[in-house]
Amino acid sequence: MKEIKRLPESELEIMQIIWKEPAPVSRTVIEYALNKTHPLAATTILTLLTRLCEKGFLSLKKEGRTNLYEPLITEKDYLASESRSFLNRLFNGSIANFAAALCDSGIKKEEVEELKRLLEKGEL
């Protein structure tokens, strides 16, 4: 898997909106979704979208006066990269150390059973 750069929160929030919407996505769709949580100026959104294009997360297609954005990196690939990075940074790449920390954090029995089920099915 190629290395995927970690995104700042503001850019990640935009990507999460784009991943949820059917592609391609316009700035107005993103702006509408952001207004539900915290409004950003249109110019700020455009700046973030430009950065995401420059980083290789999005492609840009112009349709008349509208810019349309499509993800070049899937949410699944981004999450896998971030998970591996998290594991490496905090637990020296050890899933066992991560599991021990989860147990120390008071993980619920139901959550342990869910993890066990996922491991047995090979989904982790």
Side-chain angles (χ1 to χ4, degrees), residues 9 16 19 22 26 36-37 47 62 65 74 116-117:
E9 283 298 315
Q16 288 171 326
W19 284 322
S26 69
K36 294 177 183 177
T37 54
T47 298
K62 291 191 176 276
R65 295 185 63 182
T74 66
K116 183 178 175 183
R117 184 189 67 73

Side-chain angles (χ1 to χ4, degrees), residues 20-75:
K20 287 183 179 129
E21 295 291 332
V25 181
S26 69
R27 179 199 48 84
T28 54
V29 169
I30 296 164
E31 190 173 350
Y32 177 78
L34 283 171
N35 279 334
K36 294 177 183 177
T37 54
H38 63 281
L40 290 176
T43 53
T44 303
I45 295 170
L46 287 171
T47 298
L48 294 171
L49 288 166
T50 299
R51 286 183 193 160
L52 287 164
C53 288
E54 290 168 352
K55 291 177 179 180
F57 278 82
L58 296 175
S59 68
L60 166 63
K61 180 175 79 173
K62 291 191 176 276
E63 203 170 274
R65 295 185 63 182
T66 304
N67 289 346
L68 299 173
Y69 300 90
E70 290 195 45
L72 296 174
I73 294 175
T74 66
E75 183 176 26

Side-chain angles (χ1 to χ4, degrees), residues 108-118 120:
K108 296 177 184 165
K109 184 176 181 176
E110 300 82 34
E111 292 169 321
V112 171
E113 290 302 318
E114 178 67 11
L115 285 171
K116 183 178 175 183
R117 184 189 67 73
L118 290 170
E120 287 170 352

Side-chain angles (χ1 to χ4, degrees), residues 81-101:
S81 175
E82 275 297 286
S83 298
R84 179 53 56 192
S85 174
F86 172 80
L87 203 60
N88 288 337
R89 275 192 332 268
L90 296 178
F91 301 100
N92 293 324
S94 169
I95 291 176
N97 289 346
F98 175 64

